[in-house]
Amino acid sequence: MVLCAGAAAALEAGAAKAEITPELGTPLAGHYQRMGRGAVSIRDPLWVRALYLDDGATRVLLVSADLCAITPELREAVLERAPREVPRENIILAATHTMTGPGGMVRPLVFRLFTGRYMPELVDSTAEAFANAMRDAIDNRKRASIGFGTTQASGMIRNSLLEGGSVDGQLGVLRVNDSDGKPLALVGNFGAVCSAIEVPGPEMLTLSAGFPGHFCAELERLAEPGCVAMFLQGACGDAACVTPGGTEGWAGAEAFGKALAARAFETAQGIVSDNVSIEVAHTRAVLPPTLVDAYLPSTALLTTLEIGGLAMTFLPGAPSAQISLGLREKCLERGYDAQFTVSMANEYLFFFIGPQQYGIPGPATTLSFYGPAMGDLLAMEFSRLLTRGEAEVPALSGDSPEKDVREGIQRVILRGPAYQRGYARGAVFRDAMLTEFEQRYVARCVSGEVGLPEPFWAFLPDFVQRYLETTNITIPWLAMQARPMLTGLPSALFGETVGAAAGANMPFDAAWLVQCGRMLGMLETFEEIAELPQESFCTMVAVVGLKAGADDILIARNFGGPDPVTPVVYDVRPEDGYRYLMVGLPTGGGGFSGMNEAGVVVCIERNPLLGTPALDGPPVELVAAHILSRSRSAWAALEMVDLFPHLAGYRILLGDPTRAANSGIPPARVVQLGATPRIRAPSGGVLLGANPEAEGLDDAE
């Protein structure tokens, strides 16, 4: 981590731009449907824009280019050519994330699917244009003052993943004036995806800067002659444009860019500029492990730029609104007047999506590789870079759980916050989790038993297929199929799962695949991985009344499967909720039988005749854990079962020995989740599983 700060002297600033429109035939970046083909037309020019700031102690170059991303190859070439007056670490490169900009600047084959063939000559010429813009910005420097302002433009975007989901509608504006008070640079910061055309479509091979290009052109038209306008992409991970009048295509991009520029210009008129200090800090943060470590880096460059009371945080990817709003809230709490989230900075690690949307199918979540806790990691790292407030500390893993073995059965006590409970479980059963992941998924992918569906490979050129490692593609694809099972997962169990992955030092998606393995094995899509036991639990029975001994309840069940099963008794003591005991497996959270301190008993039995569960909700053992942690009675548990309609194919036995015998309420019931859910009460003091198709079953009233 490096921090550059100092007392402000007379501020100097300069701005310049250089055209980077490539020749026709250059491949475009952003959509695999183009299959690496070259551009056949140019809609509007593309530019790189540079802003130089020098407060006498710190020199900074802020650069924005009409590109899909800043690739490692381009960044290296730019820094080699950059003016030596500015330290390398103080040069911040950002892309507008236009989906109709040039590709050709990525060397690894796996990414050429999105960027086309590698063109080293294009990297060199583009880097030269960057260097020229930076040199001109320094040479054009003048005595200056700077100020910032914000406005809300929430109506111009919508959440592209979740209808009615949160959006970051802040439009941030930075105004840099010369000594006469005239703007020499205006910078806008707003988050929205730059899709201007339908892909595939007749104009999919057209080069364009998209709405950011129209934003800058319109802002320069509205401002004083000679003013350079710059666009910094914001939280675009889940933000779709709402164009004026619903216009589409190129007309929509132009209308959106101009409308956004008009708002930015209006905001700029109210900004008072001043001579302020500038502070830059940066760190190379260690990232969580992923299923695609072969293709993505394990560290990332994070940068902060403080301009007076403004905190600018630069992220190497496309964050969701949830992550951006969280960063802003923390910055304001630390005493900053405003915060700008700038995405697509310095490198591109795809999308960062928070836990609320991580399981929703879509391109953004499919290309989110570092897990749903990236927002917390980013907040912690940025807190260490910013000069105001205290740095956040990493989540504590907590003490090692208490454990013992009795008659071959392990008993583990998990206590504390959700993350700590999960971390402890993952640390204790790391070997078991890794072994199951290797056996159930990796080994089968390597052997070819499990592969991608044929349509996935159909569009890939033969030369690309030869260079792709099957395991590095197939396992992430399987993880994408399991992501929707996060839907409806209670926040505490989500936190436990994140903690378990960290404790086992596994990618979140790998830990989640292990958690979901038995349920996935039941589905036709995953029939190849069903050889391991799908669910290792069998018959359950409840005996009530005199047969159990007065008003008692006797509930029993056995465990078994095609392979030896070693159950674990979890003694879970959450900070919020009921303590409960649960019998489960070492490879996953939750379990199949348990009882909480309120006396509620839950047992689960699988019956294929009842149907097959859907992949749009959490595994049944996590549902059981949630019920036990929150239910004060069997009736409350019964209501909670209704919250998980995806669990077809199960019988759930609910018992409650605290119910008085003379209350008229059966102390035990079975919820049978078939095509038509039904509830059965004890018959003659005994409650057994039964063939769902049998006639004459006694249903509870």
Side-chain angles (χ1 to χ4, degrees):
M1 177 169 57
V2 178
L3 179 66
C4 306
L11 181 69
E12 290 187 333
K17 63 181 183 179
E19 189 171 354
I20 56 171
T21 310
E23 297 180 354
L24 292 180
T26 300
L28 286 83
H31 293 286
Y32 70 82
Q33 292 96 330
R34 296 186 177 113
M35 299 297 293
R37 285 176 285 175
V40 299
S41 63
I42 299 172
R43 180 80 183 183
D44 47 76
L46 289 81
W47 299 86
V48 56
R49 296 171 165 87
L51 173 63
Y52 172 73
L53 298 174
D54 179 2
D55 70 353
T58 302
R59 296 174 177 177
V60 180
L61 273 167
L62 179 57
V63 185
S64 176
D66 293 323
L67 298 172
C68 181
I70 302 296
T71 68
E73 294 82 359
L74 177 61
R75 177 174 171 79
E76 181 180 355
V78 169
L79 294 182
E80 287 177 355
R81 296 167 170 81
R84 298 304 173 186
E85 294 93 324
V86 180
R88 305 299 86 178
E89 61 270 16
N90 286 14
I91 298 175
I92 306 171
L93 308 180
T96 63
H97 202 38
T98 175
M99 297 296 178
T100 47
M105 289 185 275
V106 178
R107 185 178 284 109
L109 278 167
V110 68
F111 297 119
R112 296 189 202 177
L113 181 65
F114 299 94
T115 63
R117 69 188 186 282
Y118 180 57
M119 302 175 63
E121 68 278 11
L122 179 62
V123 174
D124 291 339
S125 62
T126 305
E128 288 290 345
F130 272 65
N132 292 338
M134 291 189 285
R135 167 50 57 196
D136 290 345
I138 294 175
D139 292 345
N140 294 342
R141 65 188 184 275
K142 302 177 181 178
R143 288 286 300 272
S145 58
I146 192 167
F148 55 87
T150 64
T151 189
Q152 282 295 316
S154 300
M156 298 188 69
I157 52 174
R158 61 175 177 82
N159 191 297
S160 59
L161 290 174
L162 183 63
E163 185 176 357
S166 61
V167 298
D168 180 2
Q170 176 182 281
L171 169 60
V173 180
L174 193 66
R175 175 171 178 156
V176 185
N177 287 343
D178 62 19
S179 57
D180 295 326
K182 297 180 180 180
L184 61 88
L186 291 174
V187 182
N189 169 232
F190 189 72
V193 175
C194 299
S195 293
I197 59 173
E198 181 182 353
V199 177
E203 295 186 297
M204 65 184 290
L205 300 179
T206 299
L207 283 162
S208 170
F211 84 76
H214 293 291
F215 171 89
C216 293
E218 179 68 6
L219 200 52
E220 290 175 350
R221 187 189 71 81
L222 294 171
E224 297 282 341
C227 175
V228 174
M230 181 183 293
F231 179 80
L232 298 176
Q233 184 60 264
C236 60
D238 57 356
C241 297
V242 177
T243 57
T247 51
E248 299 178 352
W250 301 120
E254 182 175 357
F256 186 89
K258 288 183 175 180
L260 192 65
R263 291 203 184 192
F265 184 73
E266 180 182 0
T267 302
Q269 304 316 297
I271 294 175
V272 177
S273 60
D274 200 356
N275 189 49
V276 299
S277 63
I278 301 168
E279 297 172 0
V280 181
H282 58 89
T283 187
R284 184 152 285 277
V286 177
L287 301 174
T290 79
L291 290 176
V292 289
D293 280 346
Y295 302 131
L296 292 181
S298 59
T299 64
L301 178 62
L302 305 180
T303 306
T304 57
L305 171 60
E306 298 180 50
I307 302 174
L310 170 66
M312 301 178 71
T313 53
F314 294 85
L315 289 72
S320 66
Q322 181 186 5
I323 291 175
S324 178
L325 294 172
L327 288 174
R328 183 161 307 133
E329 180 181 7
K330 291 180 181 294
C331 286
L332 297 180
E333 289 175 353
R334 295 165 72 96
Y336 290 96
D337 299 316
Q339 179 268 352
F340 293 176
T341 295
V342 183
S343 66
M344 314 305 300
N346 296 314
E347 49 194 319
Y348 182 40
L349 305 182
F350 298 93
F351 292 82
F352 307 138
I353 305 297
Q356 292 181 355
Q357 300 176 160
Y358 195 74
I360 299 175
T365 50
T366 298
L367 296 175
S368 180
F369 300 110
Y370 290 97
M374 270 297 290
D376 294 334
L377 184 146
L378 291 169
M380 181 187 67
E381 294 291 346
F382 281 128
S383 77
R384 299 167 59 193
L385 297 177
L386 295 169
T387 61
R388 301 187 185 185
E390 297 294 327
E392 296 183 14
V393 296
L396 298 176
S397 59
D399 299 329
S400 298
E402 302 173 33
K403 58 180 180 178
D404 57 57
V405 179
R406 300 179 184 179
E407 298 181 358
I409 298 177
Q410 294 187 74
R411 174 175 171 267
V412 177
I413 300 177
L414 303 175
R415 63 177 87 233
Y419 180 88
Q420 290 186 17
R421 298 196 304 270
Y423 190 98
R425 178 172 63 81
V428 169
F429 296 116
R430 177 177 186 271
D431 290 343
M433 293 173 65
L434 289 172
T435 297
E436 176 144 344
F437 179 68
E438 289 289 328
Q439 292 180 352
R440 186 181 287 272
Y441 299 105
V442 177
R444 285 172 166 75
C445 288
V446 171
S447 67
E449 294 177 58
V450 179
L452 294 173
E454 187 62 31
F456 182 91
W457 292 106
F459 66 82
L460 291 179
D462 291 340
F463 80 91
V464 173
Q465 293 186 36
R466 291 198 301 269
Y467 289 97
L468 293 180
E469 172 60 50
T470 303
T471 303
N472 292 329
I473 301 297
T474 303
I475 294 180
W477 178 81
L478 292 174
M480 297 308 107
Q481 311 313 302
R483 288 261 187 97
M485 297 177 70
L486 291 164
T487 304
L489 183 65
S491 59
L493 291 174
F494 206 116
E496 281 193 34
T497 306
V498 172
N505 194 27
M506 297 175 66
F508 175 86
D509 286 321
W512 186 243
L513 275 173
V514 169
Q515 178 72 65
C516 301
R518 288 158 186 78
M519 196 157 153
L520 291 173
M522 292 181 237
L523 307 184
E524 183 178 350
T525 309
F526 292 86
E527 58 186 7
E528 298 93 341
I529 62 175
E531 294 181 18
L532 289 179
Q534 296 174 1
E535 291 173 291
S536 300
F537 53 96
C538 303
T539 307
M540 61 189 186
V541 61
V543 182
V544 302
L546 292 176
K547 291 185 177 181
D551 295 330
D552 294 335
I553 303 177
L554 175 63
I555 295 178
R557 67 100 37 76
N558 68 333
F559 286 78
D563 289 336
V565 177
T566 305
V568 177
V569 176
Y570 291 103
D571 183 348
V572 183
R573 305 176 186 184
E575 287 188 335
D576 180 23
Y578 293 103
R579 174 187 176 186
Y580 61 92
L581 295 175
M582 174 159 275
V583 181
L585 298 177
T587 52
F592 312 112
S593 287
M595 179 177 181
N596 69 12
E597 60 185 325
V600 177
V601 178
V602 175
C603 289
I604 303 166
E605 185 178 67
R606 170 82 176 122
N607 190 314
L609 294 176
L610 290 172
T612 301
L615 282 184
D616 54 4
V620 67
E621 56 266 40
L622 292 183
V623 172
H626 179 61
I627 291 174
L628 286 174
S629 69
R630 293 293 173 182
S631 298
R632 59 178 175 80
S633 69
W635 285 110
L638 183 60
E639 292 177 353
M640 295 183 71
V641 171
D642 291 338
L643 301 177
F644 303 96
H646 68 290
L647 292 178
Y650 291 99
R651 284 193 285 253
I652 302 179
L653 170 62
L654 303 174
D656 191 346
T658 63
R659 302 296 95 187
N662 58 4
S663 66
I665 301 175
R669 295 191 175 194
V670 165
V671 184
Q672 190 165 285
L673 300 176
T676 302
R678 63 194 302 184
I679 302 174
R680 295 191 294 108
S683 176
V686 178
L687 185 57
L688 294 168
N691 184 341
E693 300 173 351
E695 300 293 335
L697 296 179
D698 293 328
D699 288 353
E701 296 180 358

